[in-house]
Amino acid sequence: INIYLADTQDSLDQMVRAVNRLDFESLKKIAHKIKSSSANIGARPLSRQAQTIESNPASSDIDVRLSSLRQEYDQVRDALTRLDVKTL
């Protein structure tokens, strides 16, 4: 769980940098990574949001979609953290 959380946080930061550079190909690849890893742990809403960015990385509302993606990640992080604490 900790590896997923750290990797996803890093990927979200990379996405912001890619948008700032207008590097939509990198943004697409990073979104694909988040989509896949999130689906693997069962975070389907996060995976779906990443898929929308992967499908259209150069969209005019990319800032809004990145903000939504980060909010969804925060919810997943909080849930996984609570789950991890309960299993210890």
Side-chain angles (χ1 to χ4, degrees):
I1 290 175
N2 291 332
I3 293 171
Y4 165 79
L5 292 174
D7 284 352
T8 304
Q9 179 63 56
D10 184 52
S11 293
L12 290 167
D13 294 341
Q14 289 176 31
M15 289 177 99
V16 170
R17 290 191 296 273
V19 168
N20 290 338
R21 293 189 315 269
L22 302 177
D23 184 356
F24 299 114
E25 189 58 37
S26 291
L27 181 61
K28 183 177 180 176
K29 290 177 183 176
I30 299 163
H32 177 81
K33 177 182 174 184
I34 292 174
K35 177 190 78 173
S36 300
S37 62
S38 296
N40 284 337
I41 66 149
R44 305 250 185 267
L46 183 58
S47 178
R48 283 191 295 272
Q49 284 191 6
Q51 183 177 18
T52 67
I53 294 171
E54 180 186 18
S55 312
N56 190 6
S59 144
S60 62
D61 68 343
I62 192 63
D63 290 333
V64 171
R65 291 194 290 147
L66 281 178
S67 178
S68 294
L69 186 71
R70 186 168 293 277
Q71 289 175 1
E72 185 64 37
Y73 165 76
D74 289 344
Q75 291 179 22
V76 168
R77 181 199 60 219
D78 293 348
L80 289 174
T81 301
R82 284 191 306 271
L83 177 66
D84 193 35
V85 168
K86 287 180 182 178
T87 60
L88 292 178

